[in-house]
Amino acid sequence: MSEFAAANTASMVLFVGNPTNVVICEGFRINNAAFTAYTILPFLACSITCFIALVVQFRSSKYIPKRLDVSGDLDVRAVLSDPIGAWVGSFILGSCLVVAIVVSFFRVDVWKVTLPFAFAKFVFDITWDYYRYTKKKSTSGQLTTKDSDDEFELTMAEDELVLTHLKAHRIIPAAIEDSQTETRVPEEMQTAENISLSSAAHQTRSNTRSNTKQTDTTVVRDSPPRSQGDPSSSPSHFVIAKRKAKKFAKRFPTINTAFPRLPFALVPFAFSQFILIEALAHQGWIEIFGRWLVIATDRQIYPTVWLVGVLGVILCNCSGTNIGATILLTKIVRHAILSTPAGAEGINLNAFNRAAAIALAVASNIGAVSFTFSASLAGLLWKQILKQKGITISQKTFAKWNLLPLTIMTIVGLGVVSAEMAVLF
């Protein structure tokens, strides 16, 4: 929980820290350096108060033990299966972040910076994995490539041999009246039979491995000859696909590990938020919401800070993600500014614009530390990563532990923004 809160709170400082910051800078026409200057004080205040709230919540020893019992020497380097790949990847990532931060002040799109670095890392992973494979280096630090290939071929040969023999010797119940009549096996029996065959194959392979370790050679009886048209005489499509997948994993372990973990499922989710907001704008709801904002705040600084800030935190949970909430509120505030009559007295549109923008920047970042995982894409990714590590956090637990930090950060962060607006305007 501390990791999640810290990452989302710190993302409000830089233009490239969060996609919502990009939306705000573009929508409100704020310079990147000015954005950092506006958000640095709210970030410090929110970080300190969030730390205090987390200390209070997890002060009990049942959450954080007073002392960690560590036995033995811990070798951090031993954890790295590929130190060279780790160093190169760290260098590429660090260079990408530095270049992205620098060029962001020159109005260069972030994707134009990150895409070349991502492509360079992809090419390096493929090249380096294939180089290690051809040079017979171990991908796990224990087995050579030749041993790995022998182990892989033995596994596939045993799987195919055992399944073939079991299928050849299975007995299908005959009809009671005529034992020679072919009887159709129900689908349920076939499913159970397939499961038993797989279990038997796994057990037989284990026994075979155990016996093989004690001998120099392995003798396999030839199976009875079968006709060429017999489907059992050739490997199944599943076995072929499994064989190719294992070969690919042996040759390109980095790609095989990283590619399935990419958040492809979040892409249509993010696109749907943009589509829904554009639909609201097309139907005229943005104009209605803009008039409501003008009525509620009268385009004054302090009502704008607190109303936009609180709505931003709430909408992060209701609008899909903080990106959707930010786009929606940005369009509403922009309409409220554009609908202002020319020469209106007592209205400082520049102050109104800045107050709404910085309040929304604070709300969209701390709003990710909210009641639902879908309050931000970071929350959905964080949940997915924890699931891969075997850690499960329920929605109720997530909301309970975020309630106190979110409430305190909202009050303190918007209070600091109000103080900044009072000094500037």
Side-chain angles (χ1 to χ4, degrees):
M1 301 303 296
S2 301
E3 170 201 17
F4 184 73
N8 286 282
T9 305
S11 62
M12 76 172 68
V13 179
L14 296 177
F15 166 77
V16 296
N18 197 324
T20 60
N21 299 345
V22 179
V23 174
I24 293 171
C25 289
E26 295 294 333
F28 292 96
R29 296 177 176 83
I30 299 177
N31 181 271
N32 300 336
F35 179 85
T36 300
Y38 284 128
T39 56
I40 187 67
L41 291 180
F43 153 69
L44 293 175
C46 290
S47 297
I48 294 173
T49 53
C50 180
F51 173 75
I52 296 174
L54 291 172
V55 168
V56 172
Q57 284 194 145
F58 297 103
R59 64 185 182 276
S60 175
S61 59
K62 69 178 181 179
Y63 299 118
I64 302 179
K66 301 299 181 182
R67 178 176 298 180
L68 297 177
D69 296 329
V70 180
S71 59
D73 296 331
L74 299 179
D75 186 5
V76 179
R77 291 182 178 272
V79 180
L80 295 176
S81 60
D82 181 18
I84 296 179
W87 277 109
V88 174
S90 300
F91 175 76
I92 293 177
L93 177 60
S95 302
C96 179
L97 292 176
V98 172
V99 174
I101 292 173
V102 172
V103 302
S104 65
F105 295 100
F106 299 97
R107 296 288 182 178
V108 178
D109 293 336
V110 179
W111 70 269
K112 295 180 180 179
V113 177
T114 57
L115 184 60
F117 284 97
F119 181 75
K121 184 62 170 64
F122 177 74
V123 173
F124 170 79
D125 288 337
I126 294 179
T127 306
W128 178 243
D129 284 346
Y130 189 75
Y131 172 80
R132 288 190 301 164
Y133 179 80
T134 55
K135 291 297 181 179
K136 298 182 180 181
K137 291 185 178 180
S138 172
T139 57
S140 63
Q142 296 177 355
L143 296 175
T144 63
T145 305
K146 184 178 183 302
D147 294 334
S148 300
D149 289 343
D150 292 342
E151 181 79 8
F152 166 69
E153 295 297 338
L154 179 61
T155 300
M156 298 308 301
E158 289 171 355
D159 283 347
E160 186 176 346
L161 180 63
V162 172
L163 288 174
T164 301
H165 275 271
L166 289 176
K167 289 180 179 179
H169 291 86
R170 64 182 179 181
I171 300 175
I172 302 177
I176 297 177
E177 293 81 1
D178 187 359
S179 59
Q180 302 298 325
T181 304
E182 182 180 0
T183 303
R184 189 176 188 84
V185 181
E187 183 178 354
E188 294 79 3
M189 294 180 62
Q190 293 180 0
T191 303
E193 188 177 4
N194 291 334
I195 295 175
S196 63
L197 289 179
S198 300
S199 301
H202 177 75
Q203 182 64 33
T204 306
R205 182 173 67 250
S206 301
N207 295 336
T208 304
R209 293 288 178 84
S210 178
N211 296 332
T212 305
K213 292 180 180 179
Q214 307 299 329
T215 60
D216 295 331
T217 59
T218 301
V219 179
V220 179
R221 292 190 179 91
D222 294 333
S223 58
R226 291 183 296 271
S227 61
Q228 187 174 1
D230 188 358
S232 62
S233 62
S234 60
S236 64
H237 295 291
F238 175 77
V239 173
I240 295 175
K242 185 178 179 182
R243 180 184 304 170
K244 292 182 178 180
K246 286 190 175 182
K247 285 185 177 180
F248 181 84
K250 293 292 183 183
R251 287 172 171 80
F252 306 104
T254 305
I255 301 298
N256 184 72
T257 302
F259 195 79
R261 297 182 180 181
L262 295 178
F264 293 111
L266 298 181
V267 175
F269 177 80
F271 271 113
S272 65
Q273 305 305 313
F274 292 95
I275 295 173
L276 289 174
I277 293 171
E278 290 300 325
L280 289 175
H282 180 72
Q283 296 296 328
W285 282 102
I286 300 298
E287 298 179 5
I288 297 175
F289 295 151
R291 288 199 298 268
W292 290 356
L293 178 63
V294 172
I295 295 173
T297 63
D298 197 24
R299 299 186 181 90
Q300 299 302 310
I301 294 177
Y302 305 114
T304 301
V305 169
W306 289 94
L307 182 59
V308 173
V310 173
L311 281 177
V313 172
I314 296 175
L315 288 177
C316 285
N317 296 273
C318 305
S319 299
T321 64
N322 54 352
I323 299 177
T326 303
I327 297 174
L328 178 61
L329 288 175
T330 299
K331 287 181 174 292
I332 293 174
V333 174
R334 292 300 301 168
H335 182 270
I337 294 174
L338 296 176
S339 63
T340 303
E345 297 181 358
I347 298 177
N348 188 341
L349 290 181
N350 187 31
F352 175 71
N353 182 74
R354 284 291 184 271
I358 306 308
L360 183 56
V362 174
S364 62
N365 284 275
I366 66 174
V369 189
S370 202
F371 309 117
T372 60
F373 292 107
S374 61
S376 66
L377 292 179
L380 297 174
L381 289 173
W382 183 68
K383 181 182 179 182
Q384 181 179 355
I385 293 173
L386 292 182
K387 186 177 180 180
Q388 293 172 355
K389 302 297 182 181
I391 303 174
T392 303
I393 297 180
S394 64
Q395 183 67 72
K396 181 179 179 181
T397 303
F398 182 77
K400 180 183 72 173
W401 290 122
N402 282 335
L403 177 60
L404 180 61
L406 177 63
T407 303
I408 294 178
M409 285 194 296
T410 301
I411 296 174
V412 174
L414 296 180
V416 173
V417 174
S418 299
E420 287 183 339
M421 296 300 107
V423 173
L424 295 174
F425 301 100

